[in-house]
Amino acid sequence: MAITTPDDFTFRWRRPPNFPLEVSFDHTFLPAVDILDHIRRDEEVRFTVLGDDDWQVRMDRTAAFRTAPIEEIVTWTFRLVHFNLSRFYDDLLDGFQDEIMIPWRTHLSARGFTWQRLAPILFLSTEGASSTYHNDNSHGLVWQVHGTKTFHSYLDPDKHLTADAAVIGETTGEDPPAHDPDDRQSVTMQPGDQLWSHALTPHWVTTESGLAMSVTLSHGGLCHQGRFSERELALRAYWDKNPGEAWTHDLRNVRY
């Protein structure tokens, strides 16, 4: 059942498993193919061409990704991410700051939340593409905008990866390790669906449609009335012992 009230969210946000939620944003995106055509040319975009077993084909497609006809690009298997969407607030994502970021920050602040960083991340991918198996240092409000993806995680993350192991990056891999399917929490997300992804919980995402786009609002150092989430306490303890690393790269474990 989706979380729809502020009180329910405040109660649920600190502990896994992930949960669907409903946040109303008054924003209309450009078509996903138009966003892809624009953003693939940006110098800060990251992408990986997948799918074809022929190494040379993947290399050729990688070299041509920014310039090949968009009609051809969308037939390839790929995953793409952009971490710095503020570069596009005046054109491609006109209205994003005023209609999404400011209202959400205002809502959280009014409910007693604080944070060190709250920034959006854009993901684009095609059918058959999968993210790596990874965990993020930040909580994510995952918002499916176009197409269909399935967000996979675990009902009990501690059973598969302790918070201490997640902090030092033991999660990262191209594919998830063998596990009992009954332990898995798989949420198929259609356009408009939203999901709260807890910090430091292992997960992976598969694309089920021809072209899919999602935006994640990433919350670094999220805290409610002085209380961090349970798994983030392990990150705080690690940074207390390694102060030179604190706040320097809180996106370090985000994989695409």
Side-chain angles (χ1 to χ4, degrees):
M1 181 179 296
I3 297 298
T4 58
T5 70
D7 287 342
D8 286 344
F9 176 78
T10 301
F11 178 76
R12 286 287 306 276
W13 82 277
R14 294 188 68 246
R15 299 178 183 89
N18 298 333
F19 56 86
L21 72 165
E22 295 178 7
V23 180
S24 179
F25 292 125
D26 185 18
H27 181 79
T28 301
F29 289 90
L30 293 174
V33 68
D34 293 340
I35 292 178
L36 170 62
D37 196 24
H38 185 110
I39 213 164
R40 65 180 172 135
R41 306 172 194 275
D42 188 77
E43 61 183 13
E44 293 190 25
V45 74
R46 304 184 191 180
F47 63 88
T48 302
V49 176
L50 304 162
D52 200 290
D53 290 334
D54 188 318
W55 177 86
Q56 189 59 54
V57 169
R58 293 199 306 274
M59 293 302 99
D60 291 343
R61 289 178 174 178
T62 298
F65 190 84
R66 298 175 189 272
T67 57
I70 191 63
E71 296 80 9
E72 182 178 352
I73 295 295
V74 296
T75 68
W76 301 348
T77 305
F78 68 86
R79 59 191 185 217
L80 174 155
V81 63
H82 203 297
F83 293 112
N84 188 12
L85 298 189
S86 63
R87 292 166 63 86
F88 309 107
Y89 282 175
D90 292 331
D91 46 44
L92 188 68
L93 297 177
D94 183 44
F96 192 97
Q97 174 81 322
D98 291 337
E99 296 167 359
I100 297 176
M101 299 309 298
I102 291 176
W104 181 239
R105 291 187 183 112
T106 301
H107 171 79
L108 288 177
S109 180
R111 298 295 301 178
F113 285 91
T114 59
W115 55 89
Q116 274 76 37
R117 179 191 50 78
L118 206 173
I121 306 170
L122 177 73
F123 297 90
L124 280 155
S125 54
T126 50
E127 188 172 10
S130 176
S131 75
T132 58
Y133 175 75
H134 67 285
N135 65 264
D136 303 324
N137 284 350
S138 304
H139 299 275
L141 194 171
V142 183
W143 179 15
Q144 188 64 27
V145 177
H146 179 88
T148 305
K149 293 183 182 179
T150 300
F151 198 102
H152 306 275
S153 56
Y154 299 113
L155 295 169
D156 182 3
D158 281 330
K159 181 177 177 181
H160 299 271
L161 187 80
T162 66
D164 290 331
V167 166
I168 60 175
E170 291 187 10
T171 319
T172 303
E174 189 64 31
D175 299 304
H179 59 276
D180 186 337
D182 290 339
D183 292 344
R184 187 188 308 163
Q185 181 200 50
S186 295
V187 180
T188 297
M189 302 182 67
Q190 306 289 346
D193 290 346
Q194 297 166 340
L195 182 78
W196 187 258
S197 175
H198 288 273
L200 298 165
T201 57
H203 60 272
W204 66 105
V205 183
T206 55
T207 305
E208 321 296 346
S209 62
L211 179 64
M213 183 175 82
S214 59
V215 172
T216 294
L217 305 187
S218 180
H219 306 67
L222 189 64
C223 181
H224 182 253
Q225 297 180 348
R227 298 181 69 195
F228 292 102
S229 69
E230 291 186 353
R231 288 179 75 86
E232 185 155 338
L233 291 175
L235 182 62
R236 301 283 143 181
Y238 177 83
W239 278 344
D240 285 344
K241 297 176 182 177
N242 303 273
E245 295 188 32
W247 315 119
T248 59
H249 42 46
D250 56 349
L251 286 173
R252 62 183 173 177
N253 283 339
V254 174
R255 299 294 186 265
Y256 60 104

